Amino acid sequence: MYNLIFLRIALILVMLTHSLSGMFDGSINGFGTQYLDKVGFAPIGLPLAWFIKLSHIVCALSLALDKYTKIMSWITIFILVMGIFMVHLPNGWFVVGGGTNGIEYNVVLILAFLTIIYPKIHIKNV
């Protein structure tokens, strides 16, 4: 558990703040009904949006407790990859600056989760 502790803390904070803020400001409901339902997930867009955000909270807890970390990381990576192709890719690379709502944030998170899953890969092994 103590290996990569700072990365774990960062991921816990990111997953919790990203999920909890959406639960309290209503944006999860909007994402479910105004986006997911319209791109082919109707009538399950709203429950799917809530499942995604709740899975992020479970992922944060798994990182904090060092239980089921690999499976929750893979689930989160899958969600992030789907987010890249369904939401962010048309907006380019940058989240801010050169553009908005691009893929860079998801890419960094995916690489961070892969580092949690495979902490001992060295350049000479690749």
Side-chain angles (χ1 to χ4, degrees):
M1 173 165 174
Y2 300 107
N3 190 24
L4 304 171
I5 190 70
F6 296 117
L7 183 59
R8 284 176 178 264
I9 291 169
L11 287 171
I12 290 166
L13 291 172
V14 166
M15 302 311 312
L16 287 177
T17 56
H18 192 67
S19 297
L20 293 175
S21 65
M23 290 178 178
F24 294 107
D25 70 8
S27 62
I28 293 174
N29 294 339
F31 179 65
T33 58
Q34 296 169 16
Y35 181 76
L36 291 176
D37 278 351
K38 290 185 169 85
V39 296
F41 288 99
I44 64 164
L46 183 59
L48 181 59
W50 276 93
F51 170 80
I52 291 167
K53 291 305 177 179
L54 290 172
S55 77
H56 290 343
I57 291 172
V58 173
C59 183
L61 292 173
S62 79
L63 287 167
L65 300 172
D66 198 27
K67 302 283 184 196
Y68 311 108
T69 304
K70 286 185 180 184
I71 187 68
M72 288 310 303
S73 293
W74 279 117
I75 290 169
T76 303
I77 288 169
F78 174 76
I79 291 168
L80 292 168
V81 168
M82 294 304 293
I84 285 173
F85 288 104
M86 295 183 66
V87 179
H88 301 289
L89 192 58
N91 299 310
W93 175 260
F94 297 103
V95 173
V96 295
T100 57
N101 205 23
I103 68 170
E104 71 178 325
Y105 184 68
N106 283 34
V107 170
V108 170
L109 287 174
I110 290 166
L111 292 172
F113 278 110
L114 287 172
T115 301
I116 295 294
I117 296 168
Y118 302 109
K120 296 186 180 192
I121 291 181
H122 301 285
I123 296 295
K124 66 181 178 181
N125 294 342
V126 176

